Amino acid sequence: MTQDELKQAVGRAALKYVVEGEIVGVGTGSTANCFIDALAGMKDRIKGAVASSEATRKRLEGHGIPVFDLNDVSDIPVYVDGADEITVEMHMIKGGGGAQTREKIVAAVARQFVCIADGSKLVPVLGKFPLPVEVIPMARAQVARELARLGGSPVLREGFVTDNGNLILDVHGLEIVDPVGLETRIDQIVGVVTNGLFARRPADVCLLGTATGVQTLGRE
Ligand code: 5RP
């Protein structure tokens, strides 16, 4: 199976977590896109979706799936999204697509977080994938100095502006042995909007696409 086929397989597998008649939270990225395409097949059985990015909103609307503003929604039974790295503890690095702030907000509202990923995303320790940190533009240099003090090497994502009008620093060289602690520490830096560690609110379930089929990690 190709990596694209693995992503399509987990996108389809996530449909069983979608609650009929309700709103589903939808993540961002190529794996989330596979889920959106699969979701189109049951669009008449859901109330609609909340999108974690403008790209996702456009793809959902392209399929005729109603997209709700999060402020008009109080209950999201399930949020489905990809990850750049995930551990067996369900801690993740996200934000390869620069959407981690809205992803984290939608995930915070959702009762269940279903992560969908191809098997290459499962790692023993987070950090080989550079950690994306969204920053207020005027704080970019100061936040970069603070991140360097934490042992990382921040690199500005050139030519990229988030859906919120901010910048991304990709932090290289971290070996993240305490994801909850580091997520909390980075969030305390003035000028940081959100960092791409999803450890305080980990995934509940991970559907991993492998050559032998879709494996399920975590509690269903
Ligand atoms: C976007 C994300 C994505 O979920 C993450 O980058 C994985 O993307 P892909 O499914 O394309 O590998 O966090 O901000």
Side-chain angles (χ1 to χ4, degrees), residues 3 7 27-34 52-53 79-85 93-101 103 113 115-118 120-121 129 132 157 160 196 198:
Q3 200 179 24
K7 291 178 183 185
T28 297
S30 56
T31 319
N33 283 345
C34 292
S52 61
S53 64
Y79 175 68
V80 180
D81 198 357
D84 298 302
E85 288 184 343
I93 285 183
K94 291 183 46 54
Q100 76 265 18
T101 297
E103 292 171 342
F113 188 140
C115 176
I116 50 176
D118 67 83
S120 69
K121 305 289 183 68
F129 189 93
R157 198 177 293 183
F160 186 86
F198 284 57

Side-chain angles (χ1 to χ4, degrees), residues 32-43:
N33 283 345
C34 292
F35 171 67
I36 295 170
D37 296 346
L39 187 66
M42 63 175 290
K43 68 179 177 189

Side-chain angles (χ1 to χ4, degrees), residues 12-87:
R12 283 192 302 270
L15 291 182
K16 81 168 190 177
Y17 294 88
V18 174
V19 180
E20 294 197 10
E22 299 285 349
I23 287 174
V24 57
V26 184
T28 297
S30 56
T31 319
N33 283 345
C34 292
F35 171 67
I36 295 170
D37 296 346
L39 187 66
M42 63 175 290
K43 68 179 177 189
D44 296 332
R45 286 183 280 141
I46 58 169
K47 195 167 165 189
V50 167
S52 61
S53 64
E54 289 304 309
T56 287
R57 180 184 61 73
K58 285 188 189 129
R59 198 174 184 101
L60 287 162
E61 288 178 345
H63 282 300
I65 298 171
V67 178
F68 287 77
D69 185 316
L70 183 63
N71 291 305
D72 298 327
V73 171
S74 57
D75 185 40
I76 300 177
V78 65
Y79 175 68
V80 180
D81 198 357
D84 298 302
E85 288 184 343
I86 185 164
T87 66

